[in-house]
Amino acid sequence: MTPKRRVGLFGGTFDPPHLGHLIAAETVCETLGLDEVLWIPAGSPPHRAAGPCASAPVRLRMVATAIQGNPAFRIWAGETEREGPSYTIDTVRTLRAQGYAEDSLSLIVGADQFQVFSTWKEHGTLRELVRLAVVSRDGEGGPPEAGEAGIDPVPIPRIDISSSDIRRRRRERRSIRYLVPEGVHRIVEDEDLYV
Ligand code: ATP
Ligand code: MG
């Protein structure tokens, strides 16, 4: 029997994707020896108000550009094909029905999200379906104890870049060069995003 493939699930708004995302995903991939990391852009809420600033198609293009050239990174558009935010349990069920049934799935979550994990929809079932790769930047409180069943703590380097800071810089007409890959930079400028 061939060994199970190990697949990481990396969800986010990716509005826009930046080097912090790429370094985090690469570190998890290397640390856990994953065969693949699926980047899963979140769906857009039906009303723009508190939702992402860039449309789903543009965020998909930016993620595709950002991960280009890394053979272990793939994009999965399933959450953007429906309006509104998706529950992780539904995404995992969809993936398992779409060819990932035989794989070991590792959900990549921040230490902060891990602390409120018990509020997630069907969290008990979710824990039976996926492992949790809990990433924490050094100094960040509350990473899980090593050795807890189904949980892989992954220390990652502290890269102080966020999408909200990038959007703020754009509003203030400041540079975002080198915070995002060159191809993402080009899309942000061509589409006049976040200004
Ligand atoms: P925003 O500032 O709008 O919240 P963000 O930069 O946090 O955006 P998201 O798309 O919300 O980006 O993040 C997706 C995932 O990547 C989340 O789990 C988030 O914790 C993680 N992440 C974001 N920025 C970093 C970073 N600099 N280093 C490590 N992980 C990050
Ligand atoms: Mg965030």
Side-chain angles (χ1 to χ4, degrees):
M1 206 178 87
T2 48
K4 275 190 177 184
R5 289 183 341 133
R6 300 194 64 186
V7 177
L9 309 181
F10 188 36
T13 315
F14 303 123
D15 193 20
H18 53 69
L19 295 192
H21 295 132
L22 286 160
I23 292 167
E26 180 72 356
T27 304
V28 175
C29 193
E30 177 175 60
T31 305
L32 300 183
L34 302 180
D35 299 294
E36 183 173 305
V37 175
L38 275 189
W39 291 58
I40 307 180
S44 304
H47 305 293
R48 281 286 290 272
C53 301
S55 67
V58 169
R59 287 183 293 119
L60 287 171
R61 262 172 57 215
M62 289 194 287
V63 171
T65 302
I67 68 178
Q68 201 184 344
N70 187 328
F73 288 178
R74 287 186 59 191
I75 191 167
W76 188 73
E79 289 193 359
T80 64
E81 285 159 6
R82 290 165 281 175
E83 265 202 347
S86 301
Y87 290 107
T88 301
I89 183 72
D90 300 329
T91 294
V92 167
R93 287 199 173 111
T94 303
L95 284 170
R96 290 173 67 88
Q98 283 187 358
Y100 287 89
E102 304 302 322
D103 301 319
S104 163
L105 303 179
S106 283
L107 191 63
I108 300 170
V109 296
D112 51 332
Q113 294 167 294
F114 176 69
Q115 277 171 351
V116 297
F117 188 79
S118 60
T119 65
W120 290 24
K121 185 184 169 195
E122 294 185 53
H123 60 96
T125 310
L126 194 50
R127 284 292 303 276
E128 290 167 14
L129 295 177
V130 298
R131 299 184 65 81
L132 295 181
V134 183
V135 298
S136 54
R137 308 173 222 193
D138 64 349
E140 208 172 43
E145 295 300 316
E148 205 177 323
I151 294 179
D152 302 304
V154 183
I156 59 168
R158 179 176 285 277
I159 308 289
D160 203 0
I161 302 176
S162 69
S163 301
S164 39
D165 179 58
I166 290 169
R167 296 194 300 270
R168 185 177 322 114
R169 284 165 173 270
R170 288 284 296 168
R171 275 198 306 277
E172 297 171 353
R173 304 294 196 275
R174 292 161 63 205
S175 169
I176 64 162
R177 178 166 269 157
Y178 310 126
L179 300 175
V180 296
E182 183 53 33
V184 172
H185 190 210
R186 218 170 302 128
I187 294 173
V188 168
E189 295 215 314
D190 290 350
E191 302 283 335
D192 262 334
L193 299 178
Y194 315 124
V195 288

